[in-house]
Amino acid sequence: MAEDDRALPAAEELVLARRALDTGDLEHAAAHVAAALAQAPTLPEVHETLARLVAAGGDGAVDLFPLHHHAFVGTVVARAHLLAAAGRPAEGLDLLVAATNHAPGTDWAGVPWVTTPDLAERLDPDRTARVLMQVCAAAPDPVPRAGRAALAAYLTLARNAVTVHPEHGLLLGAASALARRLGEVPLAVRWATRGVRVAPSKIGEVWLGYAYRSAGRTRDALAALTRAVAHDPDDLAVYADIAGTLADDGRLDEALDWIDRALARDPSFDCAVHTAHRLRHQRDGDVAHLVALADFVRDHPDDSHEHGDLAECCRGLPWLGQVTPADGPVADALRRVVADDHLGLGVAVRLDVPVPPSALRTLVTTAPGLRVEMADGVDPDPREPRRPTARRLWRYTDTTVEPAVPAPSPEACERVRQLAHPAWPHPPAAYDGAVGLATLDLSDLLGLLVHPPEAPSTALGRVLGGQDPALWVRSVQVWACLGLLHHRTDEPWDDSTRRRVLLDLVWGVEDWVTEAALFALVTAAWVHPAVRADVARVVADRLDDVAQVARLRPVPIAVSVAHLALATPDLAPGARALATALAGIRPPTTDARGVRALLNRVRRFLGTVVRRR
């Protein structure tokens, strides 16, 4: 199904349609009516014009709206209305549901012929049940409040159908599933309860279990789902449903017992595998479960349906689902500058601890009037690479720092502006998302690390650039390093340019870039099992170096590096223990909690919907 790029207002389309009707040009009139329907599907004037078209076209009017492989949505909806008017409402309703599945936020069905009680009397109840199930299949559970009005006509159809066919079990269950999604939970419970009473079945008990679960009646939900298993012991998806319900109720051991029962029947059943890894990670926090789940997803691309377990587990976790907030005195100063436009005027900031050059550069560019005073004689010198490297990104002069590489091209800046954000569903998704940077030159990718462009003028960009510039800079650096993973991928990993450059960045001066480069390596290990041993050694070595320096002076990136290590596949147990200790060096500060709240708002732009039956 396709959209129309013309985007004329519906009123203008109707004017053009009427002109075409006046001249007898029915094909052009139909095209304009379809365009108007696509923009205003419930507008009475649109349907009045459609009725004029039917009067002019007679029995052949429906053929003015032909269906083909990429039919325009307005054409599909117009044909639906004409089929209903011609005494074929079931066919018309099928087309409206197709439009709803294409654009569920539009009220395609909010017209009198759908909501009238007569339609429910004319339709076979099995057909109505299938229609409601098709609507549910494309709707989130629950539907956000703002999107419920667009589906209200289908709930009216369900009410009318249940009134006409009060003892039809399949219809009652499907109606319950729709009511639950639209927030009518007590109604969903009543309909599902009646459905399993008049026609006991596995799917009826599943619908009842979900209705009880939405109502907060966990014991009743588990009882219904257990009865569903009794109906069909081979439907392992229900085992996963029971496990998820038990886990939500805090009964993790029982949940895992149900999952083990499912896996004993079929070790490769996707729902059970996803749920098992999610629950085991929930139990002990070991990233190995999530890596195993990512491997399963990669090796089984044809799963029965979409799962959100990996994203659910990674959401909000440092580096697994988001960049860690910047920490330290510069980060705190940046947030104060953003909160108070006058703070940088003639004010001096005294820095007695090492400061990542990216942080210092972001501070002075955000508040040009701010005076920065830095302590001397810190050892080991944070301005020197931790190991010899082939390239340096920064040049120090007294208390200032300047980029040591050229600025990136405008094209590179625009590409990263479109991609960069501080949250992602999980590391493999971040890797896939960065493929748009694959064709950038190495000089551009390095330039982005120290010459980050301004945040875009989107809602997300305004949140990042306006409330925490450090978060935007760190996001750009993360995505630039992810872009390096796609650089010259034809080269074998061990001797590749991408590995060599990332190692230079990892062992350079202590900086936000260090974290971004380490995250790129960790992501490579998630995506490519063959590089895991190499990446685990690099991360362990860098972590050990951080720990040694931290015994002598503060290391601003220490906690973040520890979290990166905890996200690394196949990390040695000793390194994992060290990372666990370093990650607990200090509790979250008030400012850090504020940034996490900001990240929660950012994730609204990146939410993952997990659908239920």
PDB file of all heavy atoms in Angstrom, residues 21 40 51 69 71 107 117 151 381 383 385 414 525 531 535 556 568 580-581 594 596 607:
ATOM      1  N   LEU A  21     -16.062  15.832 -12.130  1.00  0.00           N
ATOM      2  CA  LEU A  21     -17.395  15.249 -12.263  1.00  0.00           C
ATOM      3  C   LEU A  21     -18.269  16.079 -13.201  1.00  0.00           C
ATOM      4  O   LEU A  21     -19.021  15.536 -14.026  1.00  0.00           O
ATOM      5  CB  LEU A  21     -18.053  15.154 -10.888  1.00  0.00           C
ATOM      6  CG  LEU A  21     -17.688  13.945 -10.023  1.00  0.00           C
ATOM      7  CD1 LEU A  21     -18.223  14.112  -8.607  1.00  0.00           C
ATOM      8  CD2 LEU A  21     -18.235  12.663 -10.646  1.00  0.00           C
ATOM      9  N   ALA A  40      -8.657  12.830   4.938  1.00  0.00           N
ATOM     10  CA  ALA A  40      -9.802  13.066   5.825  1.00  0.00           C
ATOM     11  C   ALA A  40     -10.803  11.940   5.639  1.00  0.00           C
ATOM     12  O   ALA A  40     -11.869  12.125   5.050  1.00  0.00           O
ATOM     13  CB  ALA A  40     -10.431  14.420   5.527  1.00  0.00           C
ATOM     14  N   ALA A  51     -20.376   9.702  -3.146  1.00  0.00           N
ATOM     15  CA  ALA A  51     -21.723   9.289  -3.541  1.00  0.00           C
ATOM     16  C   ALA A  51     -22.092   9.865  -4.909  1.00  0.00           C
ATOM     17  O   ALA A  51     -22.731   9.182  -5.734  1.00  0.00           O
ATOM     18  CB  ALA A  51     -22.734   9.737  -2.486  1.00  0.00           C
ATOM     19  N   HIS A  69      -0.579  -4.097  -6.795  1.00  0.00           N
ATOM     20  CA  HIS A  69       0.397  -4.460  -5.764  1.00  0.00           C
ATOM     21  C   HIS A  69       0.735  -3.288  -4.840  1.00  0.00           C
ATOM     22  O   HIS A  69       0.882  -3.461  -3.642  1.00  0.00           O
ATOM     23  CB  HIS A  69       1.667  -4.982  -6.432  1.00  0.00           C
ATOM     24  CG  HIS A  69       2.697  -5.473  -5.463  1.00  0.00           C
ATOM     25  ND1 HIS A  69       2.440  -6.496  -4.565  1.00  0.00           N
ATOM     26  CD2 HIS A  69       3.976  -5.078  -5.219  1.00  0.00           C
ATOM     27  CE1 HIS A  69       3.506  -6.711  -3.826  1.00  0.00           C
ATOM     28  NE2 HIS A  69       4.451  -5.867  -4.193  1.00  0.00           N
ATOM     29  N   ALA A  71      -1.151  -0.386  -4.312  1.00  0.00           N
ATOM     30  CA  ALA A  71      -2.335   0.469  -4.372  1.00  0.00           C
ATOM     31  C   ALA A  71      -2.225   1.619  -3.384  1.00  0.00           C
ATOM     32  O   ALA A  71      -1.751   1.448  -2.255  1.00  0.00           O
ATOM     33  CB  ALA A  71      -3.583  -0.350  -4.089  1.00  0.00           C
ATOM     34  N   ASP A 107      -8.151   7.073  11.458  1.00  0.00           N
ATOM     35  CA  ASP A 107      -9.480   6.502  11.696  1.00  0.00           C
ATOM     36  C   ASP A 107     -10.127   6.140  10.365  1.00  0.00           C
ATOM     37  O   ASP A 107     -11.044   6.805   9.893  1.00  0.00           O
ATOM     38  CB  ASP A 107     -10.344   7.497  12.474  1.00  0.00           C
ATOM     39  CG  ASP A 107     -11.687   6.908  12.881  1.00  0.00           C
ATOM     40  OD1 ASP A 107     -11.873   5.689  12.705  1.00  0.00           O
ATOM     41  OD2 ASP A 107     -12.551   7.668  13.366  1.00  0.00           O
ATOM     42  N   PRO A 117     -25.353  -1.135  13.967  1.00  0.00           N
ATOM     43  CA  PRO A 117     -25.609  -2.519  14.409  1.00  0.00           C
ATOM     44  C   PRO A 117     -25.965  -3.462  13.272  1.00  0.00           C
ATOM     45  O   PRO A 117     -25.768  -4.672  13.382  1.00  0.00           O
ATOM     46  CB  PRO A 117     -26.775  -2.358  15.394  1.00  0.00           C
ATOM     47  CG  PRO A 117     -26.665  -0.938  15.881  1.00  0.00           C
ATOM     48  CD  PRO A 117     -26.164  -0.155  14.705  1.00  0.00           C
ATOM     49  N   LEU A 151      -9.104   3.499  16.470  1.00  0.00           N
ATOM     50  CA  LEU A 151      -9.566   2.119  16.441  1.00  0.00           C
ATOM     51  C   LEU A 151     -10.924   1.946  17.115  1.00  0.00           C
ATOM     52  O   LEU A 151     -11.423   0.821  17.226  1.00  0.00           O
ATOM     53  CB  LEU A 151      -8.537   1.209  17.128  1.00  0.00           C
ATOM     54  CG  LEU A 151      -7.119   1.230  16.550  1.00  0.00           C
ATOM     55  CD1 LEU A 151      -6.209   0.324  17.362  1.00  0.00           C
ATOM     56  CD2 LEU A 151      -7.127   0.807  15.089  1.00  0.00           C
ATOM     57  N   ASP A 381      50.681  11.762  33.512  1.00  0.00           N
ATOM     58  CA  ASP A 381      50.176  12.910  32.762  1.00  0.00           C
ATOM     59  C   ASP A 381      48.996  12.479  31.877  1.00  0.00           C
ATOM     60  O   ASP A 381      49.175  11.682  30.948  1.00  0.00           O
ATOM     61  CB  ASP A 381      51.293  13.490  31.903  1.00  0.00           C
ATOM     62  CG  ASP A 381      50.924  14.836  31.297  1.00  0.00           C
ATOM     63  OD1 ASP A 381      49.708  15.164  31.282  1.00  0.00           O
ATOM     64  OD2 ASP A 381      51.834  15.548  30.841  1.00  0.00           O
ATOM     65  N   ARG A 383      47.632  14.026  29.640  1.00  0.00           N
ATOM     66  CA  ARG A 383      47.736  14.583  28.286  1.00  0.00           C
ATOM     67  C   ARG A 383      48.590  13.718  27.367  1.00  0.00           C
ATOM     68  O   ARG A 383      48.727  14.023  26.184  1.00  0.00           O
ATOM     69  CB  ARG A 383      48.312  15.998  28.353  1.00  0.00           C
ATOM     70  CG  ARG A 383      47.435  16.977  29.134  1.00  0.00           C
ATOM     71  CD  ARG A 383      48.143  18.293  29.381  1.00  0.00           C
ATOM     72  NE  ARG A 383      49.360  18.103  30.180  1.00  0.00           N
ATOM     73  CZ  ARG A 383      50.170  19.081  30.547  1.00  0.00           C
ATOM     74  NH1 ARG A 383      49.893  20.328  30.201  1.00  0.00           N
ATOM     75  NH2 ARG A 383      51.241  18.829  31.286  1.00  0.00           N
ATOM     76  N   PRO A 385      49.407   9.844  25.676  1.00  0.00           N
ATOM     77  CA  PRO A 385      48.780   8.543  25.406  1.00  0.00           C
ATOM     78  C   PRO A 385      49.258   7.494  26.397  1.00  0.00           C
ATOM     79  O   PRO A 385      50.386   7.543  26.887  1.00  0.00           O
ATOM     80  CB  PRO A 385      49.227   8.227  23.976  1.00  0.00           C
ATOM     81  CG  PRO A 385      49.615   9.542  23.386  1.00  0.00           C
ATOM     82  CD  PRO A 385      50.148  10.364  24.508  1.00  0.00           C
ATOM     83  N   GLU A 414      26.542  16.090   8.165  1.00  0.00           N
ATOM     84  CA  GLU A 414      25.117  15.887   7.974  1.00  0.00           C
ATOM     85  C   GLU A 414      24.722  14.435   8.225  1.00  0.00           C
ATOM     86  O   GLU A 414      23.689  14.162   8.837  1.00  0.00           O
ATOM     87  CB  GLU A 414      24.708  16.296   6.551  1.00  0.00           C
ATOM     88  CG  GLU A 414      23.209  16.217   6.288  1.00  0.00           C
ATOM     89  CD  GLU A 414      22.395  17.033   7.275  1.00  0.00           C
ATOM     90  OE1 GLU A 414      22.884  18.098   7.746  1.00  0.00           O
ATOM     91  OE2 GLU A 414      21.267  16.623   7.603  1.00  0.00           O
ATOM     92  N   ALA A 525      32.565  -7.299  18.926  1.00  0.00           N
ATOM     93  CA  ALA A 525      32.572  -8.618  19.560  1.00  0.00           C
ATOM     94  C   ALA A 525      31.164  -9.197  19.658  1.00  0.00           C
ATOM     95  O   ALA A 525      30.975 -10.413  19.534  1.00  0.00           O
ATOM     96  CB  ALA A 525      33.205  -8.527  20.943  1.00  0.00           C
ATOM     97  N   VAL A 531      35.943 -12.340  16.666  1.00  0.00           N
ATOM     98  CA  VAL A 531      36.843 -11.320  17.205  1.00  0.00           C
ATOM     99  C   VAL A 531      36.720 -11.203  18.726  1.00  0.00           C
ATOM    100  O   VAL A 531      37.360 -10.338  19.326  1.00  0.00           O
ATOM    101  CB  VAL A 531      36.593  -9.949  16.539  1.00  0.00           C
ATOM    102  CG1 VAL A 531      36.575 -10.075  15.019  1.00  0.00           C
ATOM    103  CG2 VAL A 531      35.305  -9.293  17.022  1.00  0.00           C
ATOM    104  N   VAL A 535      39.025  -8.844  21.308  1.00  0.00           N
ATOM    105  CA  VAL A 535      38.419  -7.678  21.960  1.00  0.00           C
ATOM    106  C   VAL A 535      38.451  -7.838  23.477  1.00  0.00           C
ATOM    107  O   VAL A 535      38.740  -6.876  24.205  1.00  0.00           O
ATOM    108  CB  VAL A 535      36.977  -7.474  21.453  1.00  0.00           C
ATOM    109  CG1 VAL A 535      36.257  -6.427  22.304  1.00  0.00           C
ATOM    110  CG2 VAL A 535      36.974  -7.054  19.987  1.00  0.00           C
ATOM    111  N   PRO A 556      38.778  10.081  35.207  1.00  0.00           N
ATOM    112  CA  PRO A 556      37.368  10.434  34.950  1.00  0.00           C
ATOM    113  C   PRO A 556      36.590   9.379  34.182  1.00  0.00           C
ATOM    114  O   PRO A 556      35.372   9.287  34.332  1.00  0.00           O
ATOM    115  CB  PRO A 556      37.472  11.743  34.150  1.00  0.00           C
ATOM    116  CG  PRO A 556      38.817  12.302  34.481  1.00  0.00           C
ATOM    117  CD  PRO A 556      39.703  11.126  34.715  1.00  0.00           C
ATOM    118  N   THR A 568      31.278  -6.591  27.742  1.00  0.00           N
ATOM    119  CA  THR A 568      32.142  -7.274  26.774  1.00  0.00           C
ATOM    120  C   THR A 568      31.916  -8.776  26.774  1.00  0.00           C
ATOM    121  O   THR A 568      32.004  -9.413  27.823  1.00  0.00           O
ATOM    122  CB  THR A 568      33.621  -6.983  27.087  1.00  0.00           C
ATOM    123  OG1 THR A 568      33.824  -5.569  27.094  1.00  0.00           O
ATOM    124  CG2 THR A 568      34.532  -7.633  26.066  1.00  0.00           C
ATOM    125  N   THR A 580      33.627  -4.988  38.028  1.00  0.00           N
ATOM    126  CA  THR A 580      32.544  -4.856  39.000  1.00  0.00           C
ATOM    127  C   THR A 580      32.949  -3.941  40.155  1.00  0.00           C
ATOM    128  O   THR A 580      32.158  -3.098  40.606  1.00  0.00           O
ATOM    129  CB  THR A 580      32.145  -6.235  39.540  1.00  0.00           C
ATOM    130  OG1 THR A 580      31.733  -7.060  38.446  1.00  0.00           O
ATOM    131  CG2 THR A 580      31.021  -6.130  40.542  1.00  0.00           C
ATOM    132  N   ALA A 581      34.187  -4.091  40.596  1.00  0.00           N
ATOM    133  CA  ALA A 581      34.674  -3.233  41.685  1.00  0.00           C
ATOM    134  C   ALA A 581      34.786  -1.784  41.233  1.00  0.00           C
ATOM    135  O   ALA A 581      34.366  -0.865  41.947  1.00  0.00           O
ATOM    136  CB  ALA A 581      36.029  -3.745  42.175  1.00  0.00           C
ATOM    137  N   GLY A 594      19.934  13.301  36.956  1.00  0.00           N
ATOM    138  CA  GLY A 594      19.224  14.189  36.048  1.00  0.00           C
ATOM    139  C   GLY A 594      19.461  13.830  34.594  1.00  0.00           C
ATOM    140  O   GLY A 594      18.554  13.876  33.768  1.00  0.00           O
ATOM    141  N   ARG A 596      20.188  10.848  33.526  1.00  0.00           N
ATOM    142  CA  ARG A 596      19.464   9.607  33.251  1.00  0.00           C
ATOM    143  C   ARG A 596      17.986   9.894  32.988  1.00  0.00           C
ATOM    144  O   ARG A 596      17.339   9.229  32.179  1.00  0.00           O
ATOM    145  CB  ARG A 596      19.640   8.628  34.406  1.00  0.00           C
ATOM    146  CG  ARG A 596      21.068   8.094  34.487  1.00  0.00           C
ATOM    147  CD  ARG A 596      21.221   6.977  35.507  1.00  0.00           C
ATOM    148  NE  ARG A 596      22.579   6.460  35.468  1.00  0.00           N
ATOM    149  CZ  ARG A 596      23.583   6.915  36.190  1.00  0.00           C
ATOM    150  NH1 ARG A 596      23.380   7.921  37.024  1.00  0.00           N
ATOM    151  NH2 ARG A 596      24.798   6.392  36.085  1.00  0.00           N
ATOM    152  N   GLY A 607      11.568   4.041  21.283  1.00  0.00           N
ATOM    153  CA  GLY A 607      10.943   2.929  21.988  1.00  0.00           C
ATOM    154  C   GLY A 607      10.753   1.714  21.118  1.00  0.00           C
ATOM    155  O   GLY A 607      10.539   1.804  19.922  1.00  0.00           O
TER     156      GLY A 607
END
